[in-house]
Each structure stands twice: as structure tokens, then as C-alpha cells.
Amino acid sequence: MSTSQTDLDRDELVSEARAGSAWAGRFRTFRNNKAALLGVFILTVFVFLAIAAPVLTRYNPTQQHLSQAFQPPSWQHWMGTDYLGRDNLARIMYGGRYTLSIGLVAVAIATLIGVPIGLISGYFGGTTDMIIQRCTDILLSFNAFLLALVLVAALGVGLDSVTIAAGIGVLPQFIRLARSQALSIREEVYVEAAVAFDLATRDPSAPGNPHAIGDRLAALVSSTSPSASRAV
């Protein structure tokens, strides 16, 4: 094995070790952030209540009991009943299934479609960037709620249509964010270092290259939470 190959392997090992150390540092920062831990705890409780709803409550969320309408909170109905006598707590827990699923799937759709488009827009630039950004501007010019109504009317009423409409509604934010990351990546020092050490098999700033996007995942991940809330 040549000396240059040995140096290359050593540099790759050092790079991987630093990447692991960086993720460990981020985890320690997260662990010491009480507000973040509280948010994770609340989200975990909501997810647990939604998943375990059939076990935690004996009430059917759609079954009507007109004689029990507008019941105050009690041991039988912890959050009371609505105007049709349906248990409010049961409706919230079962409704959480649809709310969480719509938010997660909508963000997944926007991420899988928007991030590659944004990276391509920022990487190639020129006419490609102009066309993509003008299409993004068209989506941003519509009110998100109005756009969702139009898409639901075009696709038909249903949970799938609502989820797709919510995903398209938050799609422009992911395109813009990924584009800005792609534009800044090209000027980073570690990209130049990758070229100098010939660590990349192609242009290191190209979309999808691990040397280019590895340090930018935090910005993309942090945008999923507000995007999920907007989708819901």
C-alpha cells in the first residue's frame, strides 16, 4: 500500500472520528437543555395516548349519547362530554392519531421532494435555479390554507388528499432551506479540503455528497418541527 493511500485512509478515519465526536457533543447539548427534554416528554406523552387510545379509554369517540350531553368532568368522563354526549378525552386521543399522522407524513413528503429540488437548485444555479425558484414563489404567493383547500377540491375529499395538500403547503420552505444550504456549502473550507485530499469521487459540493451535506443536517432536521405544526 502506498504512502499516499495510507495517509488517505488515516484522514478518513480521523474525519469519521470527528463526525462521531460532533454528534456526541450535540447529544450532550440536547441532554442538558431542559426545555428540549420537556418538549420531547410532552410529544412522547401525546404519541403514547394516541397509540394506546383503545386501551386507555372504553368510550367510542363517535358513539352518541344524547342523554349525557354537556356532562361536566367526572370520574366517568375526565374531560366531560360534548353536545352529543361523546367523551371529549376519547375524541382527543383518537383524533391525535390523525393529527400526528398528517403532520409526520406531510413533512416526510415535503422533505423527500423539497430537499433534493432545493439542493439541485442551489448546486446548478442559472436557468435551473431560476425556474425552480419562480415555481416556489408561485406556491408561496398563495395562502397555505387556501392552497390546501384548492388541492383538496382538486384531489377529492379524504385523509390522503388532506395529507398531500398539507405536504405541498410546506414544500416551499424545504426547497428554500435546502437551496440556501447548498449555496453556502460551496464556500466551506471542508469542501476545499475534500478536493485537496481527493476524498470525494465527484464534485464535493454536489447534491447528495456526504462531505457536502453531513454538516447541514441539523438545519434541515430543526425545520421539521415547525413545518409539522404548520401542516397540522
Side-chain angles (χ1 to χ4, degrees):
M1 181 180 296
S2 63
T3 303
S4 60
Q5 183 64 35
T6 303
D7 293 339
L8 179 59
D9 293 339
R10 184 177 63 252
D11 291 335
E12 289 181 346
L13 291 175
V14 171
S15 177
E16 292 175 359
R18 288 179 178 174
S21 178
W23 281 107
R26 293 189 183 100
F27 177 75
R28 285 194 298 269
T29 302
F30 171 79
R31 186 180 58 190
N32 295 329
N33 190 327
K34 295 182 179 179
L37 293 177
L38 178 61
V40 171
F41 173 75
I42 294 175
L43 181 60
T44 302
V45 171
F46 285 164
V47 172
F48 172 76
L49 292 176
I51 294 176
V55 178
L56 297 177
T57 180
R58 59 187 176 88
Y59 296 104
N60 188 322
T62 60
Q63 187 174 3
Q64 302 178 12
H65 301 278
L66 297 179
S67 61
Q68 300 179 12
F70 297 114
Q71 290 287 323
S74 62
W75 288 111
Q76 289 75 27
H77 303 282
W78 287 10
M79 298 184 66
T81 60
D82 64 2
Y83 68 101
L84 293 176
R86 298 171 296 191
D87 184 78
N88 288 325
L89 180 59
R91 291 178 61 78
I92 290 175
M93 288 193 293
Y94 277 95
R97 293 182 164 189
Y98 298 100
T99 301
L100 293 173
S101 62
I102 290 175
L104 292 176
V105 175
V107 169
I109 292 173
T111 302
L112 294 176
I113 298 176
V115 171
I117 292 177
L119 292 176
I120 292 172
S121 176
Y123 172 69
F124 288 103
T127 304
T128 302
D129 183 39
M130 183 187 68
I131 293 175
I132 293 176
Q133 293 311 306
R134 295 299 76 77
C135 294
T136 303
D137 290 338
I138 292 174
L139 291 177
L140 288 172
S141 66
F142 289 95
N143 179 275
F145 184 71
L146 178 60
L147 179 62
L149 289 179
V150 172
L151 292 174
V152 169
L155 298 175
V157 179
L159 183 61
D160 295 338
S161 300
V162 172
T163 304
I164 294 174
I168 295 177
V170 297
L171 179 64
Q173 286 78 14
F174 282 85
I175 295 177
R176 286 291 177 85
L177 179 61
R179 175 180 179 269
S180 65
Q181 296 299 317
L183 291 175
S184 62
I185 281 171
R186 301 178 66 89
E187 307 300 328
E188 292 290 346
V189 176
Y190 68 84
V191 173
E192 298 178 358
V195 175
F197 286 101
D198 195 26
L199 296 180
T201 58
R202 53 194 172 103
D203 187 345
S205 61
N209 193 296
H211 295 286
I213 67 174
D215 195 41
R216 303 293 174 166
L217 292 177
L220 297 174
V221 171
S222 63
S223 67
T224 58
S225 297
S227 296
S229 63
R230 285 195 298 269
V232 172

